[in-house]
Amino acid sequence: MSFWEKLLNAIGNTAGNALSAVVEAIRTVFEGDPETRRKVAFSVAIIALSAKMAKADGIVSEKEVEAFREIFEFPQDQAKNVARLYNLARQDVAGYEAYAERLSTLCVTCAANCTVLEDVLDGLFHIAKADGLIHEKELNFLSHIGEIFQMSETRFEQIAARHVSTGGDPYKVLGVLPSDDFPTIRRRYHGLVSEHHPDRLISRGVPKEFHVIANERMAALNAAYAAIEKERRAA
């Protein structure tokens, strides 16, 4: 039996109690298997919050579905199970705030600016921008999720800046100030590259498919550093 089947069997068929059932199932079904528990918790967070975000602008585009599949690949024989979990989240009477609050407690390293929760936000941004534009309601949704995740405003702006297709502020992407000297910026850049290395994501329990986002994130960091370096050389 796959872990999705185990999870969904534990949840049962009561859609009205989906939130409590999902969280409790993850806590109990995978107790004693922390690695699988982390992967399932991350995956459920992406599925549930994606379902809630789809209601933010009232439209689920085909491109958003494709973006979801890019970062959340699953065996074809598990498609029905994943769809069932998505629909449970979408139909649940609980708002997305409740999902974010309860799911954030599944993060064993949960604290201000938690890296695992940052990974979740990155995934949601990736889906939101798939249709070429992050709508105002989606941005408000993501901003509130960041607050619930105890993400500082500066850190959230840094994450958001990575997903702006044009005109993004390279200083915000790296989380530095224009007044910082270049050695400080370089140290910050190398620290971010180390922090977001694919091996680090694996250790955090992020599924391997999420490396699509990791590559996108690294490209944004590299582009921001290159832009600042070019600017400082020209000055």
Side-chain angles (χ1 to χ4, degrees):
M1 181 182 292
S2 73
F3 64 66
W4 289 113
E5 291 170 318
K6 289 180 181 178
L7 175 63
L8 289 165
N9 284 342
I11 293 171
N13 297 314
T14 309
N17 196 35
L19 172 60
S20 298
V22 169
V23 175
E24 188 58 29
I26 294 173
R27 290 187 189 282
T28 57
V29 173
F30 303 104
E31 188 175 9
D33 187 356
E35 182 177 352
T36 300
R37 177 178 165 175
R38 285 197 304 270
K39 290 180 180 180
V40 173
F42 179 88
S43 300
V44 167
I46 291 290
I47 293 172
L49 292 176
S50 294
K52 293 298 185 182
M53 186 170 67
K55 301 177 73 171
D57 63 357
I59 300 172
V60 181
S61 71
E62 186 62 33
K63 289 184 178 179
E64 287 176 333
V65 175
E66 291 175 3
F68 178 85
R69 290 300 299 266
E70 284 176 1
I71 64 171
F72 195 73
E73 183 178 347
F74 46 82
Q76 190 57 41
D77 63 357
Q78 295 303 311
K80 289 184 178 180
N81 286 328
V82 174
R84 180 183 165 202
L85 185 54
Y86 184 93
N87 287 329
L88 282 175
R90 188 176 59 181
Q91 296 166 8
D92 193 355
V93 295
Y96 72 86
E97 298 92 344
Y99 266 84
E101 289 168 0
R102 294 292 298 274
L103 290 169
S104 69
T105 66
L106 294 172
C107 179
V108 295
T109 60
C110 190
N113 298 325
C114 172
T115 52
V116 175
L117 299 180
E118 181 175 343
D119 292 334
V120 172
L121 267 176
D122 254 333
L124 293 173
F125 263 106
H126 179 77
I127 295 170
K129 70 180 182 183
D131 58 2
L133 176 68
I134 298 178
H135 300 278
E136 183 178 357
K137 289 182 179 179
E138 290 175 325
L139 186 58
N140 290 338
F141 172 93
L142 293 165
S143 177
H144 196 191
I145 292 293
E147 292 174 1
I148 294 171
F149 283 175
Q150 300 182 50
M151 202 74 61
S152 70
E153 184 177 349
T154 299
R155 190 63 171 245
F156 179 81
E157 289 180 351
Q158 180 185 351
I159 298 169
R162 292 201 293 259
H163 295 277
V164 176
S165 57
T166 59
D169 185 339
Y171 292 95
K172 282 188 177 181
V173 172
L174 297 184
V176 295
L177 299 172
S179 58
D180 289 337
D181 59 31
F182 193 66
T184 298
I185 293 172
R186 183 170 55 239
R187 285 194 298 272
R188 173 63 175 166
Y189 164 70
H190 287 303
L192 288 170
V193 169
S194 175
E195 178 183 341
H196 297 299
H197 189 278
D199 288 347
R200 292 289 184 93
L201 268 69
I202 292 172
S203 69
R204 296 202 291 260
V206 175
K208 61 182 178 63
E209 289 79 18
F210 199 76
H211 289 180
V212 170
I213 303 300
N215 293 334
E216 185 178 90
R217 183 187 289 169
M218 291 299 297
L221 295 174
N222 291 336
Y225 180 74
I228 294 174
E229 185 177 36
K230 181 179 180 180
E231 173 190 294
R232 295 300 174 97
R233 285 179 175 175

